[in-house]
Every structure is written in C-alpha cells, then in structure tokens.
C-alpha cells in the first residue's frame, strides 16, 4: 500500500509536497505551522498573504486546502489545510478532517505531483483525539488513493513523536 508512517520532523522531508496544519488566516502559528514557516523562510508568509481571502481574515476555511511553493524547504510545495477544532465529535469534525486529506490529495494530483507527507492534522492545539484522527486520516487516504488508481502516488504520515507514530501505525494496520 502506498501509505507509510514515520516519526520525523516534516520540515526535513524531501517530498513533492508537505502538508501544513494551519489556521484559517494562513499567516503562521505554533506547532507544525510555526516550524514550516521558520524552515521555509519569510517568502512563505508573503506567498500566504497574497492568497485571496474568502472572508475577512480567512484565506482557507476549515476543511479546504491551498498550495504555495516550499521556498527554503526541501519539499517543493506546501499544501496548507485547516483541520477542525475538536468539540467532542458531534460538530462534523470527522467529515472536516476527511475533507482536509481529500482536498490536499486533490491539489497534489491537479499539480501532477506524486509524493506527499501529512502531519497529524488537528492532533495538537486543535485537540482531536489521536486514535480517532488517525482512523479518519487512514480511511480517507486509502479511499482517495483507490479512487485515483495511480500507482505513482505515495503518502507519508509524518508523526512528531514515537507515541503518535504508534497510533497512526496501528490505524494503518487495523484498516
Ligand atoms: N513535524 C511533524 N509534526 C509536527 C511538527 C513537525 N515539525 N511540529 C509539530 N508537529 P499542531 P493542529 C505535530 O498543534 O492541532 C497552529 O498554531 C504535533 O506534535 O501543529 O492542527 C496553527 O496555526 C501534532 O501531533 O496543529 C493552528 O492555529 C501535529 O503536528 C493550530 O496550531 C499537529 O499539531 C492547528 O492545530
């Protein structure tokens, strides 16, 4: 299966694209978002600022995705997506998280890119329980890859701790 799980710093990965777990403003933040902006350099912030606003201060509504160059990153592109804030699971969180993964993969394919790495979207500041997020990520990516029917696509799930890697690996093995 073209999905693998690793424990790594996503900013160090050489892929066609890495995914950023951003916020709707797309002007940087903490966590993986801050790390990606630091590693990419200030040109990334300028590229994000240049993206059109869907509403005041909103360049990427929750569940959607936007693409910019990777600038100083080893990855050529950054696909920014905004995961849901966890409110207990009854506010459409799973569908919004699935949309993040589907929309990121859609942008990858539209650009004729092949390799992509995802962080554990929403599993940090946004509070999504890791095991549930991992199940959504794996199921969504597996379905999207099957629908794409393209042997060249390769997806890495990049976890920032060994504990998170184990959770995502378990979801992959269970699916
Ligand atoms: N490489 C891979 N994963 C990382 C890295 C890294 N360098 N750094 C952190 N993680 P979070 P969210 C993991 O909080 O929950 C930001 O401020 C981290 O351990 O980055 O979607 C945005 O601007 C966790 O497992 O993203 C938003 O405001 C996972 O990445 C908000 O946080 C996601 O944690 C988004 O919250």
């Amino acid at each position: 299966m073209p999905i693998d799980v690793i424990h790594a710093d996503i900013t160090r990965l050489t892929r066609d694209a890495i995914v950023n777990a951003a916020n709707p403003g797309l002007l940087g933040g903490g966590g993986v978002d801050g790390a990606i902006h630091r590693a990419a350099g200030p040109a990334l912030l300028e590229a994000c600022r240049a993206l059109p606003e869907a509403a005041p201060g909103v360049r990427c509504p929750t569940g959607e995705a936007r693409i910019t160059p990777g600038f100083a990153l080893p990855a050529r592109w950054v696909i920014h997506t905004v995961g849901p804030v966890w409110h207990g699971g009854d506010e459409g969180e799973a569908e919004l998280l699935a949309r993040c993964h589907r929309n990121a993969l859609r942008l990858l394919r539209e650009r004729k890119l092949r390799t992509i790495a995802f962080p554990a979207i929403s599993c940090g500041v946004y509070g999504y329980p890791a095991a549930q997020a991992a199940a959504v990520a794996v199921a969504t990516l597996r379905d999207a890859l099957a629908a794409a029917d393209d042997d060249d696509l390769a997806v890495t799930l990049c976890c920032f701790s060994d504990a998170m890697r184990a959770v995502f690996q378990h979801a992959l093995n269970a699916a």
Side-chain angles (χ1 to χ4, degrees):
M1 190 186 1
I3 303 178
D4 69 329
V5 180
I6 64 171
H7 171 194
D9 176 349
I10 203 167
T11 66
R12 311 293 289 270
L13 298 182
T14 304
R15 296 291 188 281
D16 291 337
I18 60 169
V19 175
N20 183 17
N23 60 66
L26 292 190
L27 298 182
V32 70
D33 192 6
I36 287 173
H37 275 270
R38 278 193 300 278
L44 181 61
L45 184 60
E46 290 317 306
C48 287
R49 206 188 294 282
L51 293 169
E53 289 182 326
V58 176
R59 293 179 183 78
C60 185
T62 302
E64 296 190 13
R66 303 287 186 267
I67 190 165
T68 66
F71 300 102
L73 288 163
R76 289 163 55 207
W77 299 92
V78 178
I79 295 176
H80 308 262
T81 190
V82 180
V85 176
W86 180 256
H87 290 295
D90 292 331
E91 296 195 15
E93 292 96 331
E95 174 53 25
L96 289 166
L97 187 61
R99 270 186 222 162
C100 290
H101 291 83
R102 274 198 294 272
N103 282 323
L105 211 56
R106 179 180 53 75
L107 280 178
L108 187 83
R109 298 187 62 227
E110 281 175 9
R111 297 290 180 118
K112 311 252 185 274
L113 306 172
R114 298 295 184 203
T115 59
I116 186 168
F118 286 84
I121 299 166
S122 287
C123 291
V125 172
Y126 280 1
Y128 209 120
Q132 292 178 57
V136 169
V138 166
T140 304
L141 291 168
R142 174 169 292 139
D143 287 354
L145 288 170
D149 193 24
D150 180 343
D151 289 341
D152 290 337
L153 295 175
V155 174
T156 299
L157 296 169
C158 177
C159 299
F160 203 44
S161 68
D162 205 50
M164 190 66 89
R165 185 205 55 75
V167 169
F168 274 72
Q169 188 64 57
H170 180 75
L172 193 61
N173 296 346

